DNA sequence: CCCGTCGTTATTTTT
DNA sequence: TAACGACGGG
């Protein structure tokens, strides 16, 4: 019997009025107790179900044993999950608060929450959140069992490194960084410092000891790191039967999105929380796509989805293979590529939208022309009404964004780089947050060190160390400061005294109203901290030097707290959200109404879609990276698959013959993935390298390519519809390979208008050859300066611009 | 304490 | 190449 059968009515979280009446014939013992009746569906519910396709509907209405939904890209999985939540509440009378739905990103969690509530208002009471925020909630509720301070804050990667440096001073920062990664990875695999398998992650015999020392130090602070948010709950559930039972009663339905990206610790959490091994009767539904698993390097375990059926006996598998996003041409390529992988559950997407334009593969001489090509394409279509928002430029590594940024800046094409510096990582924000964290938990060593001498109060590292060791054993650092302070040198003594005063003021401000019904907002507290701490002054000065807007960011941080009450609980809540929400992108760009091209890494595109996508840098060594083999190569291939399936209408792939990297220019080979796209699927433009053609062999590669032997220079003659006409190249100041022997001479001709990074706009007034036979141009700049350049070597800083 | 210069080092990174 | 961290001089 499931344990939940023994619950008393009061403790039973289910609002079911008919008790355990239910369960249709088949799998009676596997049937959860919440299945009550087949109450008539409300009209709106029927409406929601009616828009689903048969598989989606089946997934929504499935009940009984565990469910694995294999949802291909663009197959409407979020709709299925949200409808399922609504369905459980409305039609199956499941108590909303007994539903737990977890995702990986805050963004996804918010979207799921919003959509579920739109379908069924009572979903407001369901727990729809990220894995990590669930873990944070769990640890606060069970702080004692978990051995953490209930007011803990979460240390990020930087904080981990700092703490390791303090725990093991003999390590260099690089070593500490390395260890931090490995410790994080160990926690992803749920390994403690004592785990004998640690050696598989890190061969350094010192590592377990470093890990142990780090854990000890972390424990003294009362805080946790990201890995702990998952691992500690697992350990608590494992070791504490009371907590376990309580959780089994509390959560009767657990759903996981993007399951292919779950790591071992997250699997263990799901397993423990569901009580599957104890027949707790919890209904488990996971949704994922093994073909989109791209985070192995961070501990994600495809194995979780591949072996789900074994871990959850009686699992039903439903495939969602109807794709509502992309054209048939795009999906064909995606499918051709991904089927080169072994060890997948396998599925084939069908295009509900039918066919569209043929995707294109463009070979370009180098990265500068790659950027110019993209810019041309985007500008050209923009003139005919295609918004910039339609476009996304995808690349494998962040460094590749630079060329595009430079080109777009010159051409005034608005763009947004996704995932660049994050708000919460900014120095000024971390400073304020450190004060807040310290106010919440005065044992926070990292926060203490960060702000005790910022702005400078004469409290150097030596004094800090004295205070820290005085607080050993988990004493308050503020108390320790009060005790140790008077014994320090004059300067430090005064600094510490001032700091203690500050902290006292902060603590009393935040603590004052916690008992009453406070109407004060947390933002007022943050404003107080900003001002009194001296940080606003400090960073305002920095702003003047660096031209940044740190002070404004600090105000923005305060503004973002208006909805939180000015209490310790409110503060903790706020800190959780900040720490767990990397998407908080404030300031800089006003409003989200701007029309701009998206520049983004392939990894960051997961879950997104764009009408037009350009995947750049399709070169061996770049993508796939290095000579990846085996499982790693398969992961790169999945990454390509993810990229392709982001595109709704148009897909372009670009590959360069030459690329500057690490100060060197290398000849590049096309990505081997290109040959996997299949015959006749791509229209090839530009010079296909001979190796590419040779590899595709003689039985006809089937690519509709141009022949590089032909005098046409390889540009497709027949693509009149889309701006690839060779004749356009001259107009854009691009080199037309057909024109001159030396394209540079055609491009940097006398009279051409140019732009230089340092000198601004100007005109070429003279061209000639150097003694070495190099092409030299003389430019008269608008600033009055006259300079000579060799375009061959300065293609990047000196650009020809349109009139 | 700030700033310049030198040397080092270059994946991907939901939380 | 370029960006960032470490170090030493003013």
């Amino acid at each position: 019997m499931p344990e939940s059968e023994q619950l008393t009515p009061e403790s039973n979280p289910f609002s079911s009025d008919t008790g355990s009446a239910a369960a249709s014939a088949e799998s009676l013992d596997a049937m959860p107790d919440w299945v009550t009746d087949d109450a008539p569906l409300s009209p709106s519910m029927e409406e929601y179900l009616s828009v689903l396709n048969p598989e989606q509907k089946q997934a929504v209405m499935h009940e009984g044993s565990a469910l694995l939904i294999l949802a291909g890209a663009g197959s409407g999985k979020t709709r299925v999950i949200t409808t399922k939540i609504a369905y459980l509440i409305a039609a199956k009378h499941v108590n909303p608060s007994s539903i737990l739905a977890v995702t990986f990103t805050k963004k996804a969690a918010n979207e799921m929450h919003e959509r579920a509530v739109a379908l069924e208002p009572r979903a407001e009471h369901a727990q729809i959140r990220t894995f990590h925020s669930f873990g944070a909630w769990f640890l606060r509720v069970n702080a004692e069992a978990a051995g953490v301070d209930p007011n803990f804050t979460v240390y990020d990667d930087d904080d981990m490194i700092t703490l390791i440096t303090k725990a093991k001073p003999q390590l260099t920062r690089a070593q500490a960084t390395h260890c931090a990664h490995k410790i994080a990875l160990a926690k992803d695999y749920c390994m403690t410092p004592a785990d004998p398998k640690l050696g598989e992650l890190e061969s350094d015999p010192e590592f377990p000891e470093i890990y142990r020392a780090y854990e000890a130090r972390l424990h003294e602070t009362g805080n946790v790191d990201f890995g702990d948010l998952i691992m500690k709950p697992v350990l608590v559930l494992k070791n504490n039967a009371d907590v376990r039972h309580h959780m089994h009663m509390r959560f009767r339905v657990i759903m996981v999105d993007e399951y292919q990206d779950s790591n071992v610790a997250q699997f263990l959490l799901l397993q423990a929380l569901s009580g599957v091994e104890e027949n707790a009767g919890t209904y488990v539904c996971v949704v994922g796509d093994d073909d989109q698993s791209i985070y192995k390097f961070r501990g994600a375990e495809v194995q979780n989805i591949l072996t789900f059926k074994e871990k959850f006996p009686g699992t039903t598998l439903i495939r969602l293979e109807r794709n509502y996003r992309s054209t048939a041409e795009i999906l064909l390529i995606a499918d051709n590529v991904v089927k080169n992988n072994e060890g997948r559950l396998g599925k084939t997407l069908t295009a509900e939208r039918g066919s569209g334009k043929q995707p294109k593969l463009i070979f370009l001489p180098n990265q500068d022309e790659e950027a110019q090509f993209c810019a041309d394409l985007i500008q050209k279509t923009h003139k005919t009404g295609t918004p910039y928002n339609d476009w996304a430029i995808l690349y494998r590594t962040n460094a590749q964004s630079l060329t595009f940024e430079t080109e777009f800046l010159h051409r005034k094409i608005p763009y947004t780089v996704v995932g660049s510096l994050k708000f919460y990582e900014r120095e000024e924000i971390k400073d304020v947050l450190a004060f807040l964290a310290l106010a919440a938990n005065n044992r926070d060593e990292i926060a203490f060190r960060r702000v005790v001498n910022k702005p400078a109060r004469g409290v150097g590292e030596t004094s800090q160390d004295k205070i820290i060791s005085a607080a050993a054993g988990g004493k308050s650092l503020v108390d320790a400061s009060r005790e140790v302070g008077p014994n320090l040198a004059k300067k430090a003594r005064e600094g510490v005294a001032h700091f203690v005063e500050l902290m006292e003021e902060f603590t009393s401000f935040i603590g004052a109203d916690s008992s009453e019904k406070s109407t004060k907002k947390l933002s007022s507290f943050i404003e107080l901290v900003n001002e009194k701490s001296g940080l606003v002054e400090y960073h305002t000065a920095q702003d003047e030097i660096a031209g940044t807007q740190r002070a404004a960011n600090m105000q923005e941080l305060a503004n973002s707290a208006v909805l939180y009450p000015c209490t310790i609980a409110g503060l903790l809540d706020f800190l959780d959200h900040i720490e767990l929400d990397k998407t908080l992108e404030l300031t800089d760009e006003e409003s989200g109404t701007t029309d701009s091209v998206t520049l983004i890494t392939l990894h960051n595109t997961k879950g997104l879609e764009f009408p037009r996508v350009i995947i750049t840098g399709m070169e061996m060594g770049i993508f796939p990276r290095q000579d990846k083999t085996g499982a790693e190569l398969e992961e790169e291939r999945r990454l390509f698959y993810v990229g392709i399936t982001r595109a709704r209408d148009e897909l372009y792939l670009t590959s360069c013959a030459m690329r500057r990297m690490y100060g060197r220019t290398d000849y590049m080979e096309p990505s081997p993935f290109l040959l996997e796209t299949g015959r006749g699927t791509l229209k090839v433009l530009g010079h296909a390298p001979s190796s590419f053609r040779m590899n595709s062999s003689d039985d006809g590669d089937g690519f509709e390519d141009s022949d590089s032997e032909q005098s046409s220079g390889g540009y497709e003659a027949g693509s009149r519809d889309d701006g690839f006409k060779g004749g356009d190249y001259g107009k854009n100041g691009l080199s037309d390979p057909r024109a001159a022997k030396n394209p540079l001479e055609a491009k940097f001709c006398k009279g051409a208008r140019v732009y230089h990074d340092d000198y601004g706009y100007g005109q070429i007034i003279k061209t000639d050859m150097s003694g070495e036979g190099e092409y030299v141009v003389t430019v008269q700049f608008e600033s009055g300066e006259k300079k000579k350049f060799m375009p061959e070597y300065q293609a990047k800083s000196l650009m020809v611009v349109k009139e």
Side-chain angles (χ1 to χ4, degrees), chain A residues 758-763 779-787:
Chain A
D758 299 328
Y759 305 102
Y761 288 95
Q763 191 174 26
V779 179
Q780 176 68 57
F781 288 102
E782 286 170 2
S783 62
E785 286 166 295
K786 199 191 280 183
K787 295 276 171 191

Side-chain angles (χ1 to χ4, degrees), chain A residues 373 376 380 685-686 711-739 746 802:
Chain A
F373 169 83
D376 276 347
K380 197 160 297 176
L685 306 168
S711 59
S712 77
Y715 283 89
E716 185 68 24
S719 54
R720 298 284 163 197
D721 56 323
D722 50 20
F724 281 108
K725 289 169 283 187
D728 284 341
Y729 273 77
K731 268 191 231 153
N732 294 324
L734 282 169
S735 62
D736 182 340
R738 292 170 298 182
K802 278 190 253 184

Side-chain angles (χ1 to χ4, degrees), chain A residues 751-792:
Chain A
R753 186 169 161 75
V754 296
Y755 177 87
H756 189 278
D757 279 346
D758 299 328
Y759 305 102
Y761 288 95
Q763 191 174 26
I764 297 180
I765 55 170
K766 192 173 157 220
T767 68
D768 44 18
M769 285 294 172
S770 75
E772 313 291 317
E774 281 149 334
Y775 190 58
V776 179
V777 299
T778 310
V779 179
Q780 176 68 57
F781 288 102
E782 286 170 2
S783 62
E785 286 166 295
K786 199 191 280 183
K787 295 276 171 191
K788 287 192 177 187
F789 298 96
M790 288 187 282
E792 192 176 346

Side-chain angles (χ1 to χ4, degrees), chain A residues 546-741:
Chain A
T548 48
Q549 39 180 324
R550 295 181 176 187
N553 288 338
M554 290 169 71
Q555 184 55 49
E556 197 58 44
L557 181 74
N559 294 345
S560 70
V562 285
L563 295 178
Y564 295 81
C566 189
T567 61
I568 289 285
L571 177 59
L572 289 172
D573 204 16
F574 176 71
L575 288 174
D576 270 1
H577 280 263
I578 290 294
E579 197 57 60
L580 301 177
D581 182 0
K582 311 285 185 179
T583 63
L584 187 74
E585 281 161 25
L586 316 173
T587 67
D588 304 327
E589 335 241 4
E590 308 115 297
S591 79
T593 57
T594 53
D595 182 27
S596 63
V597 178
T598 300
L599 303 185
I600 189 169
T601 62
L602 283 148
H603 280 91
N604 269 327
T605 60
K606 201 173 58 144
L608 304 178
E609 62 174 38
F610 305 91
R612 296 144 195 254
V613 167
I614 311 176
I615 305 180
T616 65
M618 293 299 305
E619 295 133 40
M620 190 186 267
I622 297 279
F623 189 33
R625 190 137 227 313
Q626 295 163 18
D627 282 325
K628 296 247 183 184
T629 54
E632 284 194 317
L633 184 66
E634 297 213 339
E635 180 143 318
E636 294 275 306
R637 189 178 279 117
R638 289 194 290 268
L639 189 56
F640 187 30
Y641 175 80
V642 167
I644 295 167
T645 54
R646 298 310 96 192
R648 291 180 57 83
D649 305 317
E650 297 178 23
L651 176 68
Y652 303 84
L653 309 175
T654 61
S655 179
C656 297
M658 234 184 246
R659 185 173 288 273
R660 279 191 319 273
M661 281 196 92
Y662 310 147
R664 243 232 220 4
T665 302
D666 287 328
Y667 288 95
M668 309 299 289
E669 289 297 318
S671 168
F673 292 157
L674 291 173
L675 289 168
E676 297 174 355
T677 55
R679 299 178 178 190
T681 56
L682 288 168
K683 177 168 283 189
V684 180
L685 306 168
H687 311 270
S690 53
S691 60
F692 179 71
R693 297 176 43 70
M694 265 158 45
N695 287 346
S696 54
S697 92
D698 224 15
D699 55 276
D701 54 27
F703 286 91
E704 289 187 16
D705 58 354
S706 54
D707 189 341
S708 54
E709 306 286 301
Q710 284 173 6
S711 59
S712 77
Y715 283 89
E716 185 68 24
S719 54
R720 298 284 163 197
D721 56 323
D722 50 20
F724 281 108
K725 289 169 283 187
D728 284 341
Y729 273 77
K731 268 191 231 153
N732 294 324
L734 282 169
S735 62
D736 182 340
R738 292 170 298 182
K741 269 184 193 165

